[in-house]
Amino acid sequence: MTPSEVIKYAEKNGAKMIDCKFSDFPGVWQHITYPIHRLTDEAFEEGFGFDGSSIRGWKAIDSSDMLMLPDPSTAIMDPFLSVPTISLVCDVVDPTTREPYGRDPRYIAKKAEKYVKSTGIADTIYFGPEAEFFVFDSVRFDAQTNSAFYEVDSIEGRWNSGKEEGGKNLGYKPAYKGGYFPVAPTDTLTDIRSEMVLLMEQVGIEIETHHHEVATAGQCEIDMKFTTLTKMADQLMMYKYIVKNVAKKHGKTATFMPKPLYGDNGSGMHCHQSLWKGGKPLFAGDQYAGLSEMALHYIGGVLKHARSICALANPGTNSYRRLTPGFEAPVNLAYSARNRSAAVRIPMYSPSPKAKRLEFRTPDPSCNPYMAFAAMMLAGLDGIEKKIHPGEPLDKDIYALSPEELKDVPHVPGSLDEALDALRKDHEYLLRGDVFTADVIDTWLDYKQTKEVDVVRLRPHPVEFGLYYDC
């Protein structure tokens, strides 16, 4: 839509408010709401001012004035607010220079798409993430000087199989690692997921399927059809918004936290990706698994830089509780056709060249998609430009390999600390085309170290009391 079309769209739908959204540095939507009379043609050029000093990882208080410029192509009617409200995703600019703000994640994604065109290698990069999440019935957590705890619960939780529920228990609790994917009454969330899907399609997100995932206690997945990098990042933000709000509407709570449960599968976000040029797919060919040489080099780049990509695609301390052997998490950096235990898989569902793609299985949905997608793309392009071959495929169950067989297979970092260290040492590829800047990387490293790694490191863990209290 154009600005004038957005105004007509708002009038047609009786909008009374404008909700302007943007992503903060870690990847959570923020918003400010304005009366509808402020929606004018000029607003799309002049923007809306706000104070950026309280936005995580952004400006200092002495230089905090910023502007949001609404993107008219993102206009939708908010599906949850009782007051009719038009929602717009915004880009953030400096009010003095009118230049895009360097730490705006959406700007980084836009630069990534511009860069791929400038290389002449391709003109389009497609992403199709599979974001998993849990829908719980309750969550409680706290951390004080003298105490710390968390507790999640779900009517589906296997741990509730012996609990009295209103004087009885009807059973049908998915087993640990047994949620993929029995019908109702074991799957209690089909209607809720369907409602999420209908709302996603209502706001323009094309959905392919939805289902229960492997873990007990309400793990789910809804799959979006692939689209271009920035648009998909926008869609993933809306996807999270819809999932959380539909869950809340039903008295439940949804989380994209990678590992909320001990002893069962965590939530990943397998990222399908492919390059196209002139409307033609570039990853189909006559090499391994029907790939082109370009696709193999792209894989080579992703695997070479995977440890530093993890600092952006698996950006929390909790991410590395998922990235452990034995829970379908791809900890070994190898590639294979069909084999889901490899970090990079080549799906073999269709022989069509248009379907030829790679699936990077390491990321999780706690990431900032604008930055994570850009990092994966830049790693792949580095592989193409430097002709990095990924080596021989590993067409075996990697989890069943002996230590001797595994010793030469690289693996993902074991902690956020390790991932940040990998990013410190390996980030030149991210600076190509000024997609990421040194300021963005330094700020990310500092924020993650001081606000997350150090905070978690300093706290006693409840399990430590069982291990050491009587020492």
Side-chain angles (χ1 to χ4, degrees), residues 96-245:
T96 305
T97 65
R98 307 291 297 188
E99 291 293 318
Y101 181 45
R103 296 183 196 171
D104 175 11
R106 196 167 191 260
Y107 178 47
I108 292 170
K110 286 185 166 184
K111 286 192 289 182
E113 290 195 273
K114 184 178 179 181
Y115 176 67
V116 74
K117 292 178 182 177
S118 75
T119 64
I121 293 171
D123 55 32
T124 307
I125 173 79
Y126 286 120
F127 272 87
E130 299 174 348
E132 298 167 343
F133 56 93
F134 280 87
V135 177
F136 295 125
D137 289 303
S138 69
V139 56
R140 297 187 304 127
F141 54 91
D142 196 14
Q144 302 293 339
T145 297
N146 65 324
S147 65
F149 84 98
Y150 75 89
E151 182 179 25
V152 296
D153 203 4
S154 164
I155 193 171
E156 286 193 2
R158 188 68 169 193
W159 57 83
N160 284 324
S161 60
K163 180 182 178 182
E164 278 200 18
E165 297 171 338
K168 57 185 175 182
N169 189 309
L170 299 179
Y172 300 111
K173 317 292 187 188
Y176 298 110
K177 299 189 182 183
Y180 193 82
F181 23 51
V183 299
T186 304
D187 180 0
T188 67
L189 297 167
T190 305
D191 281 342
I192 290 179
R193 290 196 306 271
S194 291
E195 184 176 335
M196 293 169 179
V197 166
L198 292 174
L199 285 176
M200 289 176 189
E201 294 198 318
Q202 178 181 311
V203 300
I205 301 173
E206 188 173 349
I207 301 299
E208 294 186 329
T209 187
H210 74 76
H211 56 83
H212 204 288
E213 259 298 342
V214 173
T216 191
Q219 190 182 34
C220 301
E221 179 177 310
I222 299 172
D223 292 338
M224 296 177 281
K225 184 178 180 180
F226 66 89
T227 191
T228 51
L229 190 154
T230 305
K231 185 177 180 182
M232 179 51 78
D234 285 344
Q235 288 189 175
L236 185 57
M237 300 297 280
M238 180 58 72
Y239 174 107
K240 288 186 172 185
Y241 181 69
I242 289 173
V243 165
K244 292 175 182 178
N245 279 283

Side-chain angles (χ1 to χ4, degrees), residues 387-460:
K387 300 187 184 304
I388 300 171
H389 197 278
E392 293 300 312
L394 201 53
D395 289 328
K396 300 178 181 179
D397 180 357
I398 298 174
Y399 301 134
L401 296 180
S402 68
E404 182 64 23
E405 291 174 298
L406 274 175
K407 66 181 177 64
D408 295 324
V409 179
H411 53 81
V412 298
S415 66
L416 182 55
D417 248 344
E418 285 185 34
L420 294 176
D421 189 51
L423 182 60
R424 288 186 190 95
K425 296 174 181 176
D426 176 29
H427 61 256
E428 288 300 316
Y429 69 100
L430 297 173
L431 303 177
R432 300 279 180 84
D434 200 39
V435 176
F436 287 79
T437 62
D439 172 70
V440 165
I441 292 170
D442 289 345
T443 303
W444 184 263
L445 290 168
D446 179 70
Y447 181 88
K448 288 291 173 177
Q449 188 70 47
T450 60
K451 303 296 185 185
E452 298 182 24
V453 171
D454 292 347
V455 169
V456 172
R457 180 190 292 123
L458 289 170
R459 288 202 170 273

Side-chain angles (χ1 to χ4, degrees), residues 17-20 31-35 81 85:
M17 305 297 287
I18 322 156
D19 200 55
C20 291
H31 77 131
I32 306 179
T33 310
Y34 304 93
L81 300 176
T85 301

Side-chain angles (χ1 to χ4, degrees), residues 67 83 106 114 137 218 244 271 273 289 300 336 360 369 375 397 400 469:
L67 282 176
V83 175
R106 196 167 191 260
K114 184 178 179 181
D137 289 303
K244 292 175 182 178
C271 290
Q273 47 206 284
S336 174
F360 186 41
D397 180 357
Y469 187 79

